[in-house]
Amino acid sequence: MTYTPTPADKFTFGLWTVGNPGRDPFGEPVRPRYDPVTLVHLLAEVGAYGVNFHDNDLVPIDATPAERDRIVRDFKAALTATGLVAPMATTNLFSDPAFKDGAFTANDPQVRAYALQKAMRGIDLGVECGAGLYIFWGGREGTETDAVRDPREALKRYREAINYLCAYVKDQGYSLRFALEPKPNEPRGDIYLATVGHVLAFITTLDYPEMVGVNPEVAHETMAGLNVLHGVAQAWEAGKLLHIDLNDQVIGRYDQDFRFGSANLKATFFLVKFLEDVGFDGPRQFDAHAYRTEDLEGVKDFARGCIRTYLILKEKARRWNADPEIQALLAEINAGDQGPVVYSREHADALKAREFDRAALGARGLAYERLDQLTIDLLLGVR
Ligand code: GCO
Ligand code: MN
Ligand code: MN
């Protein structure tokens, strides 16, 4: 197997991922900043399908209109030259000191207004570059102390902003959907809309819920100690899985943004298997960055590694689904299943009267150990 990506895999990277200069709270950048055109060519070289950006990854926050137009022209020319697309865009509502208390949820109404303005301009920029999806990651929408804001007020303001921006998109006639990206903490002590579950519930309270979905991130659910796959599956079931951020993370650590599959291989396998089994056709974005030890070659190794691991796990998933022993075990586990139970008076009466052999139910061995070990054998390449 060569594990060569195709456009159908929809592997994308943010400009901020391969462009990450390796600055952290303890140390200065270890890599130079590369301009967007260079990064587009790098992504084409490693086999990506698309590139995503925050407004200010592409256009510096203090650029003049003329500079903006030149940068966008060069970027679009690079897309044409490489064949890459820009399916998703987003707003940086977290780096500038103006957003130190949040953007849409900030206590200062001027900050909230500025955030809306910046988001509308970001949406225009995204649409101009061909994006069909716009992400909202509320990086600074949170607190260090709940003394400063009633969390209900934060949710109200968040809702007001998303409603406003949905109305803006409709008014402009853009064909653009939104995806909200949950995260439990970092950079704030606590961030509102902490998990996929919070976001799914929040969407039902919006004016245009049909325009809005979720962008789950592996690391973010893991930081919250949750099973990523379960959140992703619930989003999918609700018809709300529009995009996914793939990376890796050890529970209980800082926001690590490791190369996809580099920390929790089995969980990553089941996630890839799920995405492939259900036929998820949204972009698979690698939202991660290279170790701080790497130079530009290491950044390429990182990006190629994300893609390669996904494709290896995709092939493993195919083999898992085709494995006679695994499938026989699954058939045994699910034997006797007669499909969904539907309520009727007769069914309920019969069920209430039925006698169960409770001891036998409890005594039955389920062979999950064997099934899991077969999975491990397959993943470790001895099967
Ligand atoms: C993070 C987030 C971001 C977002 C990005 C796009 O932890 O910093 O994952 O990388 O995904 O802002 O919305
Ligand atoms: Mn993240
Ligand atoms: Mn992300």
Side-chain angles (χ1 to χ4, degrees):
M1 295 280 305
T2 54
Y3 304 112
T4 309
T6 71
D9 292 313
K10 294 198 180 160
F11 291 137
T12 66
F13 289 82
L15 282 179
W16 67 94
T17 63
V18 284
N20 184 294
R23 197 182 56 215
D24 73 13
F26 305 95
E28 299 305 326
V30 292
R31 292 183 285 268
R33 287 203 179 272
Y34 297 99
D35 65 274
V37 169
T38 305
L39 295 173
V40 168
H41 284 276
L42 182 151
L43 287 175
E45 190 185 330
V46 301
Y49 153 85
V51 56
N52 308 312
F53 55 87
H54 299 89
D55 49 357
N56 304 137
D57 297 336
L58 190 56
V59 182
I61 197 164
D62 49 5
T64 64
E67 282 163 352
R68 175 203 185 275
D69 291 349
R70 182 190 50 75
I71 291 167
V72 174
R73 202 185 52 233
D74 292 351
F75 179 67
K76 286 169 78 173
L79 294 182
T80 308
T82 54
L84 259 69
V85 292
M88 178 277 260
T90 182
T91 330
N92 185 326
L93 295 172
F94 45 88
S95 292
D96 197 87
F99 300 122
K100 63 191 174 200
D101 183 36
F104 300 147
T105 62
N107 282 340
D108 185 338
Q110 285 214 69
V111 172
R112 300 206 295 274
Y114 174 52
L116 273 183
Q117 181 202 67
K118 198 167 189 291
M120 285 190 288
R121 290 181 177 172
I123 287 171
D124 295 343
L125 177 66
V127 169
E128 193 178 338
C129 295
L133 196 70
Y134 206 80
I135 302 271
F136 293 93
W137 168 62
R140 296 274 176 203
E141 316 286 12
T143 55
E144 285 69 43
T145 162
D146 287 324
V148 302
R149 191 182 303 111
D150 182 330
R152 288 174 304 175
E153 192 57 36
L155 289 171
K156 245 170 66 191
R157 292 175 187 165
Y158 220 133
R159 180 178 306 118
E160 196 177 285
I162 300 297
N163 286 342
Y164 187 101
L165 294 168
C166 282
Y168 175 72
V169 164
K170 284 167 107 60
D171 195 29
Q172 296 297 308
Y174 292 156
S175 135
L176 190 70
R177 282 198 293 175
F178 291 171
L180 307 182
E181 180 178 337
K183 187 175 184 180
N185 55 271
E186 222 171 310
R188 298 309 295 268
D190 291 289
I191 299 178
Y192 304 120
L193 301 182
T195 69
V196 169
H198 291 81
V199 166
L200 285 175
F202 178 72
I203 290 171
T204 65
T205 71
L206 296 172
D207 284 352
Y208 306 101
E210 67 285 355
M211 288 176 68
V212 185
V214 192
N215 178 37
E217 174 167 318
V218 173
H220 297 178
E221 298 301 294
T222 307
M223 285 168 77
L226 298 175
N227 181 317
V228 188
L229 172 59
H230 293 190
V232 167
Q234 192 165 353
W236 171 264
E237 240 238 325
K240 292 296 182 192
L241 187 67
L242 302 187
H243 191 271
I244 189 163
D245 279 3
L246 302 173
N247 53 11
D248 219 344
Q249 168 78 36
V250 175
I251 288 183
R253 301 291 168 87
Y254 67 98
D255 180 10
Q256 294 176 309
D257 279 340
F258 284 154
R259 191 179 74 258
F260 184 58
S262 61
N264 306 303
L265 204 47
K266 188 165 80 171
T268 307
F269 165 69
F270 281 115
L271 178 63
V272 170
K273 179 170 139 37
F274 178 85
L275 295 173
E276 295 303 316
D277 284 352
V278 299
F280 172 67
D281 72 348
R284 288 153 172 76
Q285 172 175 251
F286 296 110
D287 187 9
H289 48 78
Y291 301 145
R292 205 163 169 270
T293 48
E294 303 309 292
D295 60 7
L296 192 62
E297 274 313 303
V299 171
K300 291 182 198 172
D301 290 339
F302 146 80
R304 287 197 181 100
C306 287
I307 291 175
R308 185 171 168 80
T309 298
Y310 189 101
L311 291 173
I312 293 171
L313 293 177
K314 178 177 167 180
E315 167 60 13
K316 294 280 184 192
R318 193 194 60 72
R319 290 180 45 189
W320 198 94
N321 288 337
D323 188 299
E325 208 175 331
I326 289 175
Q327 292 311 313
L329 261 180
L330 284 176
E332 205 179 302
I333 287 164
N334 294 308
D337 197 326
Q338 281 155 6
V341 284
V342 181
Y343 181 84
S344 69
R345 175 74 62 78
E346 298 67 41
H347 187 276
D349 286 346
L351 184 55
K352 281 169 79 180
R354 193 161 143 199
E355 290 216 0
F356 286 94
D357 185 350
R358 192 164 41 84
L361 290 177
R364 180 183 167 211
L366 299 180
Y368 292 178
E369 286 284 4
R370 247 167 73 212
L371 181 59
D372 188 69
Q373 187 60 41
L374 287 170
T375 306
I376 296 289
D377 278 14
L378 196 144
L379 286 179
L380 295 183
V382 296
R383 188 168 175 81

